[in-house]
Amino acid sequence: MTQENQTTAAVVAIERAGDHVGQTVAIRGWLYNLRESGKLLFPIFRDGTGVLQGVVSLKEHPDAFAALKGLPQESSVAVTGKIQAELRAPGGCEIHVSAIEVVQRVADSDPYPIQLKEHGVDFLLDKRHLWIRTPRQASILRIRADAIRAARNFMDDQGYTLTDAPIFTPAACEGTTTLFEVNYIDDQKAYLTQSGQLYVEATAAALGKVYTFGPTFRAEKSKTRRHLTEFWMLEPEAAYLHLEDMIELGEGLVSAMVQSVVKSRKRELATLGRDVSKLENIKPPFPRITYDEAVQVLQKAGNPTKWGDDFGGDEETLISKNFDKPVVIHRYPAAMKAFYMEADPKNPNLALSFDMIAPEGGGEIIGGGERQSSYETLVKRLREHNLPEQAFQWYLDLRRYGSVPHAGFGLGLERTVAWICGTEHIREVIPFPRMLYRVYP
Amino acid sequence: MTQENQTTAAVVAIERAGDHVGQTVAIRGWLYNLRESGKLLFPIFRDGTGVLQGVVSLKEHPDAFAALKGLPQESSVAVTGKIQAELRAPGGCEIHVSAIEVVQRVADSDPYPIQLKEHGVDFLLDKRHLWIRTPRQASILRIRADAIRAARNFMDDQGYTLTDAPIFTPAACEGTTTLFEVNYIDDQKAYLTQSGQLYVEATAAALGKVYTFGPTFRAEKSKTRRHLTEFWMLEPEAAYLHLEDMIELGEGLVSAMVQSVVKSRKRELATLGRDVSKLENIKPPFPRITYDEAVQVLQKAGNPTKWGDDFGGDEETLISKNFDKPVVIHRYPAAMKAFYMEADPKNPNLALSFDMIAPEGGGEIIGGGERQSSYETLVKRLREHNLPEQAFQWYLDLRRYGSVPHAGFGLGLERTVAWICGTEHIREVIPFPRMLYRVYP
């Protein structure tokens, strides 16, 4: 291990290399790939912002040639060279290398374990700390970061105040079967949050329009492509707002996330081979159908769903095939929904709830609705659901002291990003996925 | 519970009421306080964005007078009235109420538990879901949200990519005594993260400059004013950057957070009675002293600290009294620091580490430094610290495959916000504080 050279050329990020055509610059990164062809070497470098192809000539730069020849993949290197336009190269330019400093040479006896070939997914998940270096995974993570930034900016611009819900909670929000139990201090027990909703209902009564955006946890024994035990949710809640307001907010939020990625992450979407025209189309308004209409759509398509059934992944995909934008399904049967849902005044068998289903089989990305604001009804519901009334006293306080109509929703970050990226499995869209039998690395 | 009136007047947020002087508007919120004086009522309303004083005349608006008279505190109300300039009022205006719709009347038999008087802190923490409605607590939460927004924008603008570190981790980062253990699925064990650092070291090798910003957990049996069991940390990490770069990044980050709050949250800082001139001064560069110099400062002040001792809260406060900006203390004795710290090439007994101590007794808000990049040294350190080598294999991979110099730090959000707000205890700067014996509400 040597310190990198203090080169006189300015260090530039690969994603900005195209701005420096004709200039000699320095790149600090890693050797992603190397092709040798007689007296020429064709390396590909990466620095975290992108990949850059290079060329090294034995005749012109024998020292650089010697340093690079046979260098194992993923060795770290500081490279100096001139940027030249090259339309065939990714990014439209390449570097003509004049000097190379090897920062750390990967041992020939212990080569980088991820080769430029297909590996099994279990192997790649075991090597997740290295797998994220590949262009596809790195692109997904950059898209995730951009989608998060866009989501936060949108919420802030709409006047919503971020109020982080706690991770440690004293009781279950919707039953205990999928809760993770923590050994708290001195033999106390605590549970990891499944949703910040009850807490943002409290902060909405203090601050008006609020949201929480953090990790949530479900101990579900599901191995589907849409399940993680640890995932991020964005949950807005607003006093004095109603179902319709939340559907509009959800449309605006999803559209802001998608359009930001389309605008700022063109290169990454190209790396993923994503059909960008499908994303460019994602602008409000989104189609809206009632639960009743959704059941009809399914039945017409030959699906055996009956009124009162919940929709699984297959049904969501079937419905979404009718639309080229996310579809909002509203007014589900009240019996299917959580105890805190407000009933539709026009039909008390229906809840003022909605889900948003992503197109292209992306599944449910938003679920929400209007909350029960009557103290008496809420107590009745808690009893009907056999929930521990004592643990909900603080939540009932929100109806004792200045109850107001209020509504909100939860957006699942990983499902949304997976749909934007066009990835099959959501395990690829979080840096370190946690699943049924995986908490490593 | 009645639905609020569909009034024809436009609904405005109280924080924007001053823009509507002379207009009739609607406010939707809660009755924060009420003073009665014969044929006049002087209510104070709040809506989450601020408080607005009002006046209701029996003669002019008998219906509104009747609806408001005797109305218990925190009843929810939809108010219509004309905004008038009133220099003596907070916000510079008041509302002359013409109509009031009581959305929910708090029962006279069960009044709002938090009165406009002093309560004990245990009582207030038990009622945290209501306590956050008071102007002081609501102001702190709005300042927190603004500081978070500023921090994220600063990091994004500096080219850092957000990569969320996992909450579930397989092993301890720095020993197991302060780890929370989780009952994972099928009798597996997992631990809650104490720091995302090791993970952002991996993502930095993939993406160059990265950060994580999420909740972290310490099962510390500390009851000091600076400890929570659940708190948020912002942790940047950058490949090819060094100690000096991280000190500069930390200065820029802290300054960006403070200056954003000074600019955007004037009203809230005034509510807290904060001396804003002290915050306006927080701009780079910050003073820097070595650990050696810090020991001398302490000894001159009569403190018994010897070279090699760590600094506690008292020492931090003593040092910070010499400065009106955060002070950077760098190059601590290597023996005091974690196994992953890089040694100072000029003196291997010192670590390339730094802490940043907030002024006014705010304590340590940043700790960080340059990471050990040599595989051999890191293995040696793991053994010296009796850490389980097997659990760190993935972390050692980062030194096997393209190791590079890299550095980072962790900023404690709550300590930073507590200092900005001038609050004594950090439990006030998180919506729902989790402490030694508190996971409720």
Side-chain angles (χ1 to χ4, degrees):
Chain A
M1 174 94 204
T2 60
Q3 293 286 311
E4 77 274 31
N5 250 355
Q6 289 304 311
T7 167
T8 48
V11 175
V12 304
I14 286 175
E15 65 179 346
R16 301 250 58 90
D19 302 344
H20 299 270
V21 170
Q23 298 169 21
T24 295
V25 302
I27 301 288
R28 296 192 299 201
W30 293 264
L31 179 65
Y32 175 62
N33 195 16
L34 179 63
R35 190 163 58 83
E36 312 198 349
S37 178
K39 294 177 181 176
L40 290 176
L41 300 176
F42 299 101
I44 299 177
F45 302 110
R46 66 171 192 86
D47 75 345
T49 72
V51 294
L52 181 65
Q53 119 182 357
V55 57
V56 193
S57 153
L58 169 62
K59 196 171 157 191
E60 292 175 44
H61 298 290
D63 288 352
F65 189 95
L68 191 60
K69 189 172 163 58
L71 191 67
Q73 185 194 353
E74 283 298 321
S75 294
S76 41
V77 287
V79 180
T80 305
K82 190 186 263 189
I83 302 294
Q84 305 274 24
E86 170 53 66
L87 290 180
R88 289 164 296 181
C93 59
E94 62 180 16
I95 186 166
H96 289 227
V97 178
S98 51
I100 285 203
E101 165 96 9
V102 176
V103 180
Q104 189 235 355
R105 183 186 179 96
V106 171
D108 292 294
S109 58
D110 181 11
Y112 186 65
I114 300 180
Q115 304 300 314
L116 303 183
K117 60 164 191 179
E118 289 288 311
H119 288 281
V121 74
D122 276 334
F123 175 83
L124 291 170
L125 286 169
D126 283 342
K127 303 287 182 195
R128 182 65 178 169
H129 54 294
L130 304 175
W131 188 25
I132 53 178
R133 299 183 183 187
T134 60
R136 177 180 162 82
Q137 297 303 314
S139 293
I140 291 173
L141 294 186
R142 279 195 291 268
I143 288 170
R144 174 190 170 97
D146 190 77
I148 291 171
R149 192 188 53 71
R152 290 186 178 268
N153 287 347
F154 176 83
M155 295 308 301
D156 293 345
D157 291 347
Q158 298 290 314
Y160 283 71
T161 302
L162 176 73
T163 56
D164 300 299
I167 306 299
F168 287 133
T169 60
C173 177
E174 300 173 41
T176 56
T177 53
T178 59
L179 273 181
F180 284 111
E181 185 187 79
V182 181
N183 302 314
Y184 204 68
I185 293 161
D186 289 350
D187 298 326
Q188 297 174 87
K189 292 289 175 199
Y191 301 91
L192 298 182
T193 183
Q194 295 185 299
S195 157
Q197 183 203 313
L198 306 195
Y199 290 96
V200 286
E201 288 187 58
T203 57
L207 297 169
K209 299 198 285 185
V210 301
Y211 69 107
T212 181
F213 192 3
T216 53
F217 305 86
R218 303 247 169 118
E220 281 176 305
K221 292 203 172 184
S222 299
K223 291 184 79 171
T224 85
R225 64 189 179 88
R226 289 182 188 154
H227 282 91
L228 296 168
T229 55
E230 174 184 326
F231 57 98
W232 284 63
M233 269 217 288
L234 192 163
E235 296 174 274
E237 192 76 28
Y240 287 102
L241 293 192
H242 298 276
L243 175 64
E244 183 65 25
D245 303 306
M246 283 301 126
I247 294 176
E248 272 177 34
L249 186 75
E251 285 176 341
L253 173 61
V254 168
S255 162
M257 294 170 77
V258 172
Q259 295 312 322
S260 175
V261 170
V262 166
K263 186 170 168 232
S264 310
R265 291 290 173 259
K266 279 188 203 318
R267 190 197 290 227
E268 287 77 8
L269 290 170
T271 300
L272 301 180
R274 185 71 170 104
D275 181 348
V276 176
S277 69
K278 287 191 171 154
L279 297 177
E280 284 168 341
N281 182 47
I282 308 302
K283 290 179 182 166
F286 296 168
R288 302 178 190 193
I289 57 175
T290 62
Y291 170 85
D292 290 15
E293 289 165 341
V295 171
Q296 288 168 22
V297 167
L298 289 170
Q299 289 176 345
K300 269 185 199 160
N303 184 283
T305 296
K306 298 182 304 296
W307 198 96
D309 291 349
D310 205 351
F311 303 149
D314 290 346
E315 285 73 30
E316 289 170 357
T317 300
L318 202 52
I319 294 167
S320 75
K321 279 189 177 155
N322 292 276
F323 304 97
D324 56 3
K325 291 183 184 184
V327 54
V328 171
I329 306 173
H330 56 93
R331 291 179 169 76
Y332 283 74
M336 278 168 49
K337 290 290 172 181
F339 71 95
Y340 48 68
M341 284 292 183
E342 184 77 78
D344 187 349
K346 292 182 192 152
N347 180 351
N349 292 323
L350 300 179
L352 288 177
S353 66
F354 78 106
D355 286 354
M356 187 185 288
I357 315 292
E360 305 175 71
E364 181 193 326
I365 54 174
I366 283 183
E370 201 163 324
R371 320 306 186 185
Q372 183 53 247
S373 55
S374 153
Y375 175 83
E376 290 74 20
T377 309
L378 197 57
V379 168
K380 193 165 151 259
R381 292 279 168 78
L382 284 170
R383 288 174 188 164
E384 284 166 6
H385 284 74
N386 288 315
L387 285 163
E389 229 170 294
Q390 187 52 40
F392 286 94
Q393 284 308 309
W394 71 267
Y395 185 64
L396 289 167
D397 275 355
L398 306 179
R399 278 72 181 174
R400 287 187 184 98
Y401 308 118
S403 190
V404 296
H406 61 293
F409 64 76
L411 171 137
L413 176 68
E414 284 75 18
R415 289 186 180 188
T416 306
V417 175
W419 158 56
I420 293 173
C421 290
T423 63
E424 174 73 6
H425 201 298
I426 64 170
R427 68 190 164 208
E428 289 186 64
V429 306
I430 188 165
F432 294 92
R434 298 312 190 215
M435 295 176 290
L436 188 50
Y437 297 114
R438 175 169 299 280
V439 289
Y440 178 93
Chain B
M1 174 93 203
T2 59
Q3 295 285 314
E4 76 275 29
N5 249 357
Q6 290 304 314
T7 167
T8 49
V11 175
V12 303
I14 285 176
E15 65 178 346
R16 302 248 59 89
D19 302 343
H20 298 271
V21 170
Q23 297 169 22
T24 295
V25 302
I27 300 289
R28 297 192 298 202
W30 294 265
L31 179 65
Y32 176 61
N33 195 17
L34 179 63
R35 191 164 59 82
E36 311 198 349
S37 178
K39 295 178 181 176
L40 290 175
L41 300 177
F42 299 102
I44 299 177
F45 302 110
R46 65 171 193 87
D47 74 346
T49 73
V51 294
L52 181 66
Q53 107 181 11
V55 57
V56 193
S57 153
L58 169 62
K59 195 170 159 192
E60 291 175 44
H61 299 290
D63 289 351
F65 189 95
L68 191 60
K69 189 172 163 59
L71 191 67
Q73 185 195 351
E74 284 298 320
S75 293
S76 41
V77 287
V79 181
T80 305
K82 190 185 263 189
I83 302 294
Q84 306 274 24
E86 171 53 65
L87 290 180
R88 289 164 296 182
C93 59
E94 62 181 16
I95 186 165
H96 288 226
V97 177
S98 50
I100 285 204
E101 165 96 9
V102 177
V103 179
Q104 188 234 357
R105 183 187 178 97
V106 171
D108 293 297
S109 58
D110 181 12
Y112 187 65
I114 300 179
Q115 303 301 315
L116 302 182
K117 61 166 193 177
E118 287 288 312
H119 288 281
V121 74
D122 276 334
F123 175 83
L124 291 170
L125 285 169
D126 283 342
K127 304 287 181 196
R128 181 65 178 171
H129 53 294
L130 303 175
W131 187 25
I132 52 179
R133 299 182 182 187
T134 60
R136 176 181 162 81
Q137 297 302 315
S139 293
I140 290 173
L141 293 186
R142 279 195 291 268
I143 288 170
R144 174 190 171 98
D146 190 77
I148 291 171
R149 192 188 54 72
R152 289 186 179 269
N153 286 348
F154 176 83
M155 295 308 300
D156 293 345
D157 291 348
Q158 298 289 314
Y160 283 72
T161 302
L162 176 73
T163 57
D164 300 301
I167 306 299
F168 288 133
T169 60
C173 177
E174 300 173 37
T176 57
T177 53
T178 59
L179 274 181
F180 284 111
E181 186 186 79
V182 181
N183 303 315
Y184 204 69
I185 294 161
D186 288 351
D187 298 327
Q188 298 175 87
K189 291 290 173 199
Y191 302 91
L192 298 183
T193 184
Q194 296 185 297
S195 157
Q197 183 202 314
L198 306 195
Y199 291 96
V200 285
E201 288 187 59
T203 57
L207 297 169
K209 299 198 285 184
V210 301
Y211 69 107
T212 181
F213 193 1
T216 53
F217 305 87
R218 303 248 169 118
E220 281 177 305
K221 293 204 172 184
S222 300
K223 291 184 79 172
T224 85
R225 65 188 179 86
R226 288 182 187 153
H227 284 91
L228 297 168
T229 55
E230 174 185 327
F231 57 99
W232 284 64
M233 269 217 288
L234 192 164
E235 296 175 273
E237 192 76 28
Y240 287 103
L241 293 191
H242 299 276
L243 175 64
E244 183 65 24
D245 302 307
M246 283 301 127
I247 294 175
E248 273 178 33
L249 187 74
E251 284 176 342
L253 172 61
V254 168
S255 160
M257 295 169 76
V258 172
Q259 295 311 322
S260 175
V261 170
V262 166
K263 186 171 169 232
S264 310
R265 291 289 173 258
K266 280 189 203 316
R267 190 196 291 226
E268 286 78 7
L269 290 170
T271 299
L272 301 180
R274 185 71 170 104
D275 182 347
V276 176
S277 69
K278 287 191 172 155
L279 297 177
E280 284 168 341
N281 180 49
I282 307 302
K283 290 178 183 166
F286 296 168
R288 302 177 190 194
I289 59 175
T290 62
Y291 171 86
D292 291 15
E293 289 165 341
V295 171
Q296 288 169 22
V297 166
L298 289 170
Q299 289 175 346
K300 270 185 197 157
N303 184 282
T305 297
K306 298 182 305 296
W307 197 95
D309 291 349
D310 206 351
F311 303 148
D314 290 347
E315 286 73 30
E316 289 171 356
T317 301
L318 202 52
I319 294 167
S320 75
K321 280 190 177 154
N322 292 275
F323 304 96
D324 57 3
K325 292 183 185 183
V327 53
V328 171
I329 306 174
H330 56 92
R331 291 179 170 76
Y332 283 73
M336 279 168 49
K337 289 290 173 181
F339 72 94
Y340 48 69
M341 284 293 185
E342 185 76 78
D344 186 348
K346 291 182 192 151
N347 179 351
N349 292 323
L350 300 179
L352 288 177
S353 66
F354 79 106
D355 286 354
M356 188 185 287
I357 315 292
E360 305 175 69
E364 181 193 326
I365 53 175
I366 283 183
E370 202 163 322
R371 320 306 185 184
Q372 184 53 247
S373 56
S374 153
Y375 175 84
E376 291 74 20
T377 309
L378 197 57
V379 169
K380 193 165 152 259
R381 293 278 168 77
L382 284 170
R383 288 174 188 165
E384 285 167 4
H385 284 74
N386 289 315
L387 286 163
E389 228 171 295
Q390 188 52 41
F392 286 93
Q393 285 307 310
W394 72 267
Y395 185 65
L396 289 167
D397 275 356
L398 307 179
R399 279 71 182 175
R400 286 187 185 99
Y401 308 118
S403 190
V404 296
H406 62 291
F409 63 78
L411 172 136
L413 175 69
E414 283 75 17
R415 289 186 180 188
T416 306
V417 175
W419 158 57
I420 294 173
C421 290
T423 63
E424 174 74 6
H425 201 296
I426 64 170
R427 66 190 164 209
E428 288 186 64
V429 306
I430 189 166
F432 294 91
R434 298 313 191 214
M435 294 178 291
L436 188 48
Y437 297 113
R438 175 168 298 280
V439 289
Y440 178 93

